[in-house]
């Protein structure tokens, strides 16, 4: 149970800067998830914490102890590898017992911990098997068990569910969350699966090109993305984006205007937007904030006629690709809405949910 | 021209005695050769400073020169430096040193063929050498059995060269019998069959061992 702290940590491979000046504190007992596109440095970060990768710059502290020069086995962290890395020549029992054995635990204590972990994970019946005789899901549990028995200060997971089929992934996702509640230990989890990040993380770290873009709760990164990258990366379908200008009309209202849209802002937004009037901005709106059906308060939403180009019924909801000949958006609507392709449908824009970004830097504007 | 196999039958006890010596020399050389090969492989895999490069150099030299030249250097050459080892030690040292170079390459390749994540998982829980011993080597061992068997068979056959150091092993016994009987075809055939029996027994033995390790 420990706090993990990275202070100005950097890592390069030749001239590839895998991780740049990372400052991050993972609180004791926190479930922290790293997300980001392929190659953004998630695995590298995890491996630096584990000690499998040397760091070029900065310091890493686990439980207040600087671990830069500590061998992996002395860092009191356990890794669950993406490919599990189970030992094929050992039984499940010995796979789990190995770390304890090497640390000179008493045979009795090893047995107690292994059987306890096996019980929690539901693999008691496989203890005498070899990994090759297990299904992917069972191997995954053994990999977890190997980490659990150590009772480490922190668990490090590198896309542990990516090798499982979709159904099992959903199941294990819930089990991992449960496990976290049970074990109350710090967990650092790498994934590029958005759903995993949103559902499992106490906080999410969004990375891009080796740089931390935002650290926040799932709600924070979803509802208040700090920049264009986060806005575009988090959420599926991704946030609708457009470029426009903030203008004030004769009546004193503030609008965001594009070639095809004139969206009046709410009073509160208008006040906050005052310093930016006359400027070009990027703005975004999530697919669920474009309404085809009336909701509470939608009588105040500006209405825009949009042509439907693609209909994607997903069963529990439908995604509509819509256009006004200048912008293309995706709207997430109820399956009751069943427009034909080519049909023009009036959409109510919940402008209070607009996100504004500086067109130059991409940083979020507080509007 | 007719063949007289009865001469071969009568000489079988003599040849068999030679085969025993061949087996002795081979077994001892394989033992020391494997030991040497293991050490050389570990020096290179673990990248031990300086020694790693010396090991590499050693392997290049041993693989790049004929075994016969190596044996003669030891047996006929060293005495002029005041080091007269005698036939048996020379034979065993030469064969061991030569085999060791090849064995080390086989072992190194097998060790390197083990997925890096096994090393990484191991080092999360144990030192480099513990990881090598408990995690990597047991897996590598299984993979090295077929190529090692091959090498052991080569060494067994190569041991015929030590006949030139006056050792009374299978091939030399055969030659001597031919000098006195002039029955080259029958005797060489007998010698060949005896080598074949030894090499195929060795092959069958290691295959059995490999299957035992299968689980
Ligand atoms: N051993 C290595 N040698 C050279 N470059 C490396 C090495 N490991 C990683 N990199 C580079 O460092 C960058 C970050 O890689 P990293 O594996 O951390 O990405 P990631 O976020 O885990 O991606 P993914 O989602 O694909 O697993 C990439 O550009 C990658 O090519
Ligand atoms: Mg990765």
């Amino acid at each position: 149970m420990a706090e993990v702290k990275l202070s100005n940590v950097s890592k390069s491979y030749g001239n590839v800067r895998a991780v740049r000046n990372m400052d991050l504190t993972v609180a004791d007992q926190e479930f922290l998830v790293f997300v980001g596109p392929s190659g953004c440095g998630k695995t590298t970060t995890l491996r630096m914490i584990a000690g499998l990768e040397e760091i070029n710059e900065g310091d890493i502290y686990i439980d207040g102890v600087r671990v830069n020069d500590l061998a992996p086995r002395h860092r009191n962290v356990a890794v669950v590898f993406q490919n599990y890395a189970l030992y094929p020549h050992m039984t499940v029992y010995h796979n789990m017992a190995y770390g304890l054995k090497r640390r000179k635990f008493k045979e009795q204590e090893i047995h107690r911990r292994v059987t306890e972990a096996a019980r929690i994970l539901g693999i008691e019946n496989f203890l005498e098997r070899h990994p090759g005789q297990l299904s992917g899901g069972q191997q995954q549990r053994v990999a977890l068990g190997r980490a659990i028995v150590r009772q480490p200060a922190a668990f490090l997971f590198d896309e542990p569910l990516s090798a499982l089929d979709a159904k099992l992934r959903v199941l294990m996702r819930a089990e991992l969350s449960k496990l976290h509640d049970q074990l109350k230990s710090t967990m650092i989890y790498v994934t590029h699966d958005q759903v995993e990040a949103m559902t499992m993380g106490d906080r999410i770290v969004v990375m891009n090109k080796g740089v931390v873009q935002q650290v926040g709760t799932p709600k924070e990164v979803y509802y208040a993305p700090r920049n264009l990258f986060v806005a575009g990366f988090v959420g599926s379908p991704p946030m609708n984006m457009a470029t426009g200008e903030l203008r004030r009309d004769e009546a004193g209202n503030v609008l965001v205007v594009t070639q095809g849209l004139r969206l009046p802002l709410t009073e509160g937004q208008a006040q906050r937007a005052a310093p930016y009037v006359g400027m070009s901005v990027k703005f975004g709106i999530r697919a669920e904030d474009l309404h085809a059906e009336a909701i509470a308060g939608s009588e105040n939403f500006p209405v825009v006629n949009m042509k439907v180009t693609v209909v994607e019924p997903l069963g529990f909801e439908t995604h509509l690709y819509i256009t006004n000949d200048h912008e293309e958006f995706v709207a997430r609507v109820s399956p009751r809405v069943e427009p034909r392709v080519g049909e023009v449908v009036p959409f109510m824009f919940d402008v209070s949910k607009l996100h504004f970004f500086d067109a130059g830097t991409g940083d979020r504007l507080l509007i | 021209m007719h063949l007289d196999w009865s001469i071969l039958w009568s000489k079988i006890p003599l040849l068999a005695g030679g085969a025993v010596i061949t087996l002795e020399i081979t077994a001892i050389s394989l033992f020391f050769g494997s030991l040497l090969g293991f050490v050389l492989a570990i020096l290179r895999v673990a990248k031990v400073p300086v020694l790693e490069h010396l090991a590499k150099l050693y392997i290049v030299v041993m693989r790049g020169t004929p075994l016969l030249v190596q044996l003669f250097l030891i047996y006929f050459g060293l005495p002029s430096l005041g080091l007269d080892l005698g036939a048996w030690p020379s034979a065993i040292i030469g064969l061991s040193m030569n085999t060791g170079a090849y064995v080390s390459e086989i072992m190194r390749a097998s060790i390197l063929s083990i997925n890096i994540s096994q090393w990484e998982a191991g080092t999360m829980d144990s030192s480099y050498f513990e990881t090598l011993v408990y995690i990597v080597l047991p897996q590598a061992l299984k993979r090295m059995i077929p190529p090692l068997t091959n090498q052991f068979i080569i060494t067994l056959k190569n041991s015929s060269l030590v006949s030139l150091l006056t050792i009374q092993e299978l091939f030399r016994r055969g030659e001597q019998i031919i000098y006195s009987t002039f029955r080259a075809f029958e005797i060489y055939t007998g010698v060949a069959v005896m080598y074949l029996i030894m090499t195929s027994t060795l092959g069958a033995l290691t295959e059995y061992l490999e299957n035992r390790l299968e689980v």
Side-chain angles (χ1 to χ4, degrees):
Chain A
M1 320 304 117
E3 178 189 278
V4 176
K5 188 174 156 207
L6 284 76
S7 166
N8 195 32
V9 170
S10 294
K11 170 80 190 180
S12 300
Y13 298 102
N15 49 20
V16 178
R17 299 181 63 188
V19 174
R20 305 188 199 187
N21 308 94
M22 184 181 289
D23 280 304
L24 183 72
T25 303
V26 190
D28 184 24
Q29 304 193 11
E30 184 174 21
F31 198 123
L32 186 87
V33 179
F34 280 91
V35 281
S38 193
C40 72
K42 307 179 294 287
T43 297
T44 304
T45 305
L46 200 76
R47 290 169 56 84
M48 288 192 292
I49 298 170
L52 294 171
E53 210 73 67
E54 287 212 15
I55 67 180
N56 298 139
E57 215 183 291
D59 298 296
I60 297 180
Y61 300 88
I62 297 174
D63 236 352
V65 179
R66 184 173 172 278
V67 296
N68 290 34
D69 306 316
L70 275 186
R73 67 186 192 280
H74 294 134
R75 294 192 181 195
N76 197 17
V77 296
V79 178
V80 177
F81 293 88
Q82 184 167 9
N83 66 358
Y84 313 145
L86 299 179
Y87 310 132
H89 60 298
M90 295 183 189
T91 62
V92 167
Y93 182 92
H94 286 108
N95 263 277
M96 298 214 276
Y98 181 76
L100 300 176
K101 244 184 209 164
R102 295 280 81 78
R103 289 183 176 81
K104 308 267 182 290
F105 276 76
K106 293 232 156 51
E107 200 58 53
Q108 212 180 352
E109 173 67 5
I110 295 176
H111 186 262
R112 194 187 65 75
R113 288 200 190 185
V114 171
T115 41
E116 168 69 6
R119 191 188 56 75
I120 293 175
L121 296 166
I123 49 173
E124 304 102 310
N125 296 331
F126 307 130
L127 288 175
E128 293 315 314
R129 290 208 203 163
H130 281 79
Q133 301 164 307
L134 300 178
S135 72
Q138 292 161 346
Q139 291 182 15
Q140 161 78 71
R141 284 162 201 270
V142 179
L144 274 174
R146 199 165 64 179
I148 291 174
V149 295
R150 292 255 325 274
Q151 303 180 353
F155 288 86
L156 309 176
F157 299 94
D158 192 358
E159 308 203 23
L161 308 185
S162 61
L164 303 180
D165 67 52
K167 232 179 182 168
L168 203 52
R169 205 151 59 217
V170 174
L171 191 77
M172 286 307 292
R173 206 162 71 204
E175 286 203 20
L176 273 177
S177 293
K178 211 171 70 191
L179 203 62
H180 177 240
D181 294 340
Q182 250 175 314
L183 301 176
K184 302 232 180 306
S185 46
T186 310
M187 293 190 170
I188 303 176
Y189 189 100
V190 164
T191 181
H192 55 229
D193 183 316
Q194 301 228 1
V195 183
E196 279 176 28
M198 299 299 280
T199 55
M200 299 170 84
D202 292 323
R203 284 192 304 159
I204 294 177
V205 180
V206 183
M207 289 184 72
N208 187 34
K209 297 189 177 147
V211 180
V212 173
Q213 304 292 316
Q214 183 167 8
V215 184
T217 63
K219 277 192 174 153
E220 281 165 358
V221 297
Y222 191 79
Y223 292 110
R226 234 192 58 191
N227 58 33
L228 275 175
F229 177 82
V230 178
F233 185 78
V234 176
S236 172
M239 186 187 285
N240 296 300
M241 290 291 178
T243 306
E245 196 188 308
L246 287 168
R247 286 194 201 152
R248 196 183 294 276
D249 68 4
E250 313 76 49
N253 300 316
V254 177
L255 308 97
V256 61
V257 180
T258 70
Q259 276 192 303
L261 293 171
R262 283 177 68 85
L263 301 172
L265 305 193
T266 66
E267 241 169 77
Q269 284 173 317
Q271 271 177 21
R272 293 190 293 274
Y276 307 107
V277 169
M279 279 173 53
S280 165
V281 292
K282 289 242 166 37
F283 67 97
I285 185 162
R286 293 222 180 263
E288 60 269 31
D289 296 323
L290 299 177
H291 298 279
E293 294 177 308
I295 60 159
S298 63
E299 60 277 6
N300 298 322
F301 295 169
V303 179
V304 183
N305 285 323
M306 307 281 286
K307 193 169 80 187
V308 175
T309 55
V310 178
V311 178
E312 270 184 3
L314 301 179
F316 59 103
E317 65 182 29
T318 298
H319 293 175
L320 300 179
Y321 290 73
I322 55 180
T323 179
N324 60 5
D325 293 334
H326 297 287
E327 281 90 22
E328 289 189 10
F329 293 150
V330 187
R332 170 186 266 163
V333 299
S334 131
R336 288 187 302 273
V337 180
E338 293 178 296
R340 277 171 291 105
V341 170
E343 192 176 332
V344 174
V345 178
F347 277 89
M348 293 164 272
F349 280 56
D350 185 353
V351 287
S352 69
K353 303 282 173 58
L354 285 177
H355 302 261
F356 292 93
F357 303 93
D358 185 303
T361 63
D363 286 339
R364 182 180 190 81
L365 299 174
L366 294 174
I367 294 179
Chain B
M1 186 71 219
H2 77 282
L3 297 174
D4 179 4
W5 293 100
S6 65
I7 291 194
L8 175 60
W9 298 131
S10 66
K11 298 296 184 190
I12 276 191
L14 202 60
L15 287 177
V20 169
I21 290 172
T22 288
L23 279 178
E24 277 172 15
I25 287 184
T26 304
I28 297 170
S29 302
L30 286 181
F31 176 76
F32 287 114
S34 300
L35 215 61
L36 175 66
F38 180 70
V39 172
L40 292 172
I42 297 301
L43 290 180
R44 294 194 66 196
V45 169
K47 301 207 190 317
V48 178
V50 188
L51 294 180
E52 164 199 12
H53 300 291
L54 290 180
K56 174 84 208 270
L57 180 69
Y58 174 86
I59 291 159
V60 168
V61 171
M62 293 315 277
R63 297 210 305 182
T65 55
L67 172 59
L68 190 59
V69 175
Q70 294 163 10
L71 287 168
F72 276 22
L73 250 178
I74 295 168
Y75 183 63
F76 297 114
L78 286 185
S80 50
L81 301 183
L83 191 61
D84 192 347
L85 294 169
W88 267 75
S90 296
I92 283 164
I93 290 172
L95 267 182
S96 302
M97 286 177 67
N98 183 274
T99 304
Y102 289 95
V103 165
S104 85
E105 285 298 89
I106 290 168
M107 290 184 168
R108 192 174 76 100
S110 308
I111 292 171
L112 293 182
S113 77
I114 301 300
N115 194 314
I116 181 79
S117 68
Q118 292 286 315
W119 281 101
E120 293 184 338
T123 50
M124 291 308 300
D125 285 319
S126 51
S127 69
Y128 181 88
F129 277 95
E130 285 172 329
T131 304
L132 180 69
V133 170
Y134 295 110
I135 308 291
V136 177
L137 278 182
Q139 297 178 56
L141 201 65
K142 226 194 99 187
R143 295 192 191 176
M144 57 179 85
I145 289 175
L148 272 186
T149 304
N150 219 9
Q151 181 55 45
F152 286 5
I153 287 173
I154 290 173
T155 299
L156 194 150
K157 293 186 292 182
N158 276 349
S159 73
S160 59
L161 288 176
V162 309
S163 63
L164 294 164
L165 311 191
T166 73
I167 291 177
Q168 299 279 332
E169 45 67 78
L170 176 56
F171 182 73
R172 190 173 176 95
R173 293 255 171 113
E175 296 249 275
Q176 286 170 341
I177 295 167
I178 293 165
Y179 291 148
S180 56
T181 63
F182 303 104
R183 287 287 165 190
F185 186 82
E186 295 89 330
I187 300 302
Y188 278 140
T189 302
V191 167
V193 168
M194 284 197 168
Y195 274 114
L196 190 61
I197 291 170
M198 289 190 285
T199 53
S200 42
T201 307
L202 186 60
L205 220 67
T206 52
E207 198 169 312
Y208 169 75
L209 188 68
E210 197 191 353
N211 289 335
R212 281 285 304 272
L213 286 172
E214 199 63 56
V215 184

